[in-house]
Amino acid sequence: MPKGDGAVMGLSGLAADQSPGCAALDAAVAAPVAFDLECDLLVVGFGAAGAAAALEAAAGGLDVLLVDRFAGGGASWLSGGIVYAGGGTRHQRTAGRSDSAEAMADYLAREVGDAVSPETVRRYAAQSAGMIDWLEAHGAAFDAAEAPHETSYPSRDHYLYFSGNEMVPANRDAIPPAPRGHRAKGKWLSGRAMMEGIMARVRRTEGIRIRTEAAIGRLIVDGDGTVAGAELRCMPERGLATWAHRRLERLARVMVLQVAGVSARIAPLLAALERRHARAVTVRARHGVVLATGGFIKNRAMVARHAPGFMKGFPLGSTGCDGSGIRLGLGLGGRLDKADKISAWRFINPPHAFAQGVVVDGEGRRLTNEEQYGARLGDAMMRRAGGRAYVVIDEALRRAALKEIASGAMWGFQSFPARVLMFRAKRAATLDGLAAKLGMAPAVLRETIAANNAAVRGEAADPVGKSDEMRGAVAAGPFFALDISVDNPAFPLPVLTLGGLAVDEATGAVLRDAGGTIPGLYAVGRAARGLPSNFYVSGLSLGDCIWSGRRTAAAIAAGRLKDRQSATSGP
């Protein structure tokens, strides 16, 4: 597109989705533009999805400009570093585990539902083993040390585990199970180590330029409606304001998992610095713009609009998870899919004994199979029980939990809340007494526990389909009720968004609400609808980020090559 022959397009009619402290996105403005920078591909967001897209695009011969509102890393840097992969990864084979792409696809189809097509599920399963190899070639490290039993997150010494619901009898009896959760090697939560390795590789890769402290403000659209670039709002490359911006964002990032609400207080300060000091920089992107800007959990206005029932949850994500890319896509006529799908994480295993107990709702009825992945429990609690739930255990299970905590095998973020839950638990000598303290009908709680105990003794089928090895009797008082409700301030319920812009599943091109695609605009990771957009299991979001980023960049590079070949071949 020649200089001066474009229009700057941004949001239109989406003020309801703007929260204080979110990245400012201006309304549509029609104006000529002279570009300050040019590239083949502009990738917005330097998390896992953006990094993967940039690396794949550079490998395909594209000149890439990779930008991020902050210093890079995104929510992926905060994550546990779990990548869901199978079909025979080298770490599965080393651990002596057999798996096939067909078994993995069959299992994933049960979790994914209609979030993506069956063809996309099969492609992901078939390519996931190669994705682990690709990650290891680009700065990440994994290992074959397998966790000895099901857990929400493996211990410091284990890196391969069952990260979903593969071992739940309803799945295990139908589909050969295999551990597919691959945890990146690193101290603490492994996402930081994984992302810092990949980010270092991005910085060393020829063909990728990086600009941090650069937020996207508007998309630039040429006369035929093709996205031809973007206007960025860039902080100065040096100076006190930029130093303060970096330090404040870093503080929000490292504290977000430890102090509830800290990032919400810092976000307005970051936005104020940007308003005062950031300057407009226009970028021409000859082959399009890739939005890798994450979800919208930190945009409380969007959450309240699309999933109000989850507002009490603890928003899990980086400061940049404000829906900025999603809102820009909507402003150009894109479609938002699965916006009401929120993953609520209620992990009760470890300690193992908690999952052997019985989870009941506020009326004393059995809620779900306790051995399932924590997002299943959280979803059942939020959608079916109004956010109210308790884990009921007896003295024997309580002692077993204390023994596991004392062993030192659990992470601090697992053992500390477990101790708090037991310290604050309601206690009674009888189930009737416990029901009274919880405001339940005693007969309902007694019936629930009796059905569980009958299944433990083999006298009846388990009412929630729990496996034999995970059942525990709740038989001898005193009895305890651990409050795992959404409003328990001592046990916050992490929530994150799963929906995003609807995209073409072969290319990542953003789909128009009115039909067709928005030329030149792509979305990947949690800015887009993807594999985990109905339901989440550990590793599927990171896996989808990396896979969709690579898929989209490869499709763009292939399209450019095809255009070049057509141009050189002539009529």
Side-chain angles (χ1 to χ4, degrees):
M1 185 179 94
K3 289 186 178 183
D5 187 23
V8 180
M9 302 293 292
L11 291 184
S12 178
L14 293 171
D17 284 344
Q18 183 67 46
S19 278
C22 291
L25 301 174
D26 297 332
V29 177
V33 60
F35 292 102
D36 299 307
L37 299 171
E38 295 195 9
C39 61
D40 286 334
L41 187 66
L42 174 62
V43 179
V44 185
F46 193 3
L55 286 166
E56 193 71 25
L62 295 175
D63 169 37
V64 180
L65 179 61
L66 174 61
V67 303
D68 194 276
R69 183 184 172 196
F70 302 115
S76 305
W77 191 93
L78 292 166
S79 75
I82 308 297
V83 178
Y84 194 89
T89 69
R90 72 183 186 93
H91 301 293
Q92 286 179 316
R93 296 195 304 271
T94 300
R97 292 286 191 171
S98 62
D99 194 15
S100 69
E102 292 77 14
M104 178 178 170
D106 288 345
Y107 166 72
L108 274 183
R110 296 181 172 215
E111 303 285 14
V112 167
D114 66 352
V116 296
S117 68
E119 291 75 20
T120 295
V121 174
R122 287 195 291 270
R123 282 201 309 274
Y124 179 82
Q127 296 169 6
S128 66
M131 178 174 64
I132 296 293
D133 295 337
W134 183 88
L135 283 167
E136 291 190 301
H138 288 82
F142 297 90
D143 196 274
E146 185 178 344
H149 52 71
E150 289 184 74
T151 179
S152 62
Y153 193 77
S155 74
R156 294 169 181 81
D157 300 322
H158 301 105
Y159 297 93
L160 180 67
Y161 74 118
F162 288 93
S163 65
N165 297 299
E166 298 89 349
M167 295 298 287
V168 173
N171 293 322
R172 182 182 63 191
D173 296 344
I175 303 165
R180 302 187 182 106
H182 291 67
R183 179 166 77 91
K185 296 192 74 172
K187 296 178 180 179
W188 191 231
L189 293 176
S190 297
R192 176 174 177 174
M194 185 188 80
M195 283 307 302
E196 289 185 349
I198 293 171
M199 290 166 71
R201 178 56 61 91
V202 171
R203 295 186 187 103
R204 297 194 303 268
T205 299
E206 185 177 352
I208 301 176
R209 289 171 287 160
I210 302 171
R211 183 70 184 263
T212 56
E213 282 77 41
I216 188 167
R218 298 182 259 191
L219 292 169
I220 299 173
V221 181
D222 67 15
D224 67 358
T226 298
V227 174
E231 180 186 274
L232 307 177
R233 301 292 298 174
C234 298
M235 295 289 290
E237 293 193 48
R238 297 179 182 85
L240 181 60
T242 300
W243 177 86
H245 189 268
R246 290 175 181 171
R247 292 299 296 267
L248 281 170
E249 189 276 329
R250 181 68 175 221
L251 176 63
R253 190 191 309 188
V254 299
M255 296 298 288
V256 69
L257 300 178
Q258 302 172 43
V259 182
V262 65
S263 61
R265 290 189 285 273
I266 292 176
L269 303 177
L270 293 166
L273 283 169
E274 292 164 358
R275 285 193 299 270
R276 183 171 181 179
H277 298 281
R279 297 292 180 263
V281 174
T282 55
V283 180
R284 180 189 180 195
R286 289 179 286 269
H287 296 285
V289 175
V290 176
L291 301 172
T293 48
F296 60 88
I297 196 62
K298 291 303 181 76
N299 186 322
R300 307 313 284 161
M302 286 185 74
V303 176
R305 179 179 178 185
H306 298 291
F310 290 82
M311 285 292 288
K312 288 184 178 181
F314 172 68
L316 185 62
S318 72
T319 307
C321 293
D322 64 359
S324 57
I326 292 172
R327 288 179 282 144
L328 283 172
L330 294 177
L332 291 185
R335 186 175 82 239
L336 180 58
D337 277 0
K338 308 291 184 180
D340 64 327
K341 298 295 185 181
I342 304 288
S343 186
W345 297 354
R346 187 45 93 211
F347 294 118
I348 60 171
N349 179 15
H352 194 69
F354 284 4
Q356 290 181 301
V358 175
V359 173
V360 299
D361 62 16
E363 297 181 351
R365 296 184 177 87
R366 189 77 169 270
L367 192 54
T368 190
N369 184 341
E370 297 81 8
E371 71 181 310
Q372 292 182 108
Y373 179 71
R376 287 285 186 192
L377 173 54
D379 190 73
M381 187 177 77
M382 295 300 292
R383 297 187 187 276
R384 290 166 33 206
R388 176 75 45 204
Y390 303 90
V391 182
V392 179
I393 59 175
D394 65 3
E395 177 63 17
L397 289 174
R398 188 184 76 90
R399 289 183 180 276
L402 287 171
K403 183 178 180 180
E404 185 173 353
I405 292 169
S407 73
M410 295 166 60
W411 294 89
F413 65 83
Q414 296 168 330
S415 61
F416 178 75
R419 288 182 185 275
V420 171
L421 283 174
M422 286 192 285
F423 178 75
R424 295 168 58 97
K426 298 290 185 182
R427 170 179 175 156
T430 65
L431 286 173
D432 283 9
L434 190 65
K437 289 187 176 183
L438 298 173
M440 300 172 180
V444 174
L445 183 60
R446 280 201 314 271
E447 182 179 349
T448 297
I449 300 303
N452 171 77
N453 293 345
V456 172
R457 295 191 298 268
E459 298 170 358
D462 192 279
V464 293
K466 203 169 183 179
S467 61
D468 292 344
E469 57 270 26
M470 290 299 294
R471 293 192 197 110
V474 182
F479 299 96
F480 303 84
L482 285 56
D483 186 1
I484 60 171
S485 303
V486 65
D487 58 0
N488 182 351
F491 194 33
L493 179 76
V495 293
L496 72 161
T497 58
L498 300 178
L501 293 167
V503 296
D504 181 292
E505 293 179 21
T507 66
V510 176
L511 299 178
R512 289 189 186 277
D513 192 37
T517 62
I518 301 173
L521 187 63
Y522 306 85
V524 296
R526 296 289 61 76
R529 182 196 66 214
L531 283 155
S533 290
N534 267 336
F535 187 74
Y536 178 96
V537 296
S538 274
L540 193 57
S541 183
L542 263 184
D544 181 66
C545 284
I546 295 154
W547 183 77
S548 66
R550 294 184 65 204
R551 171 204 64 191
T552 294
I556 295 168
R560 186 193 71 149
L561 179 61
K562 184 177 180 181
D563 290 344
R564 282 186 170 181
Q565 291 172 339
S566 298
T568 56
S569 63

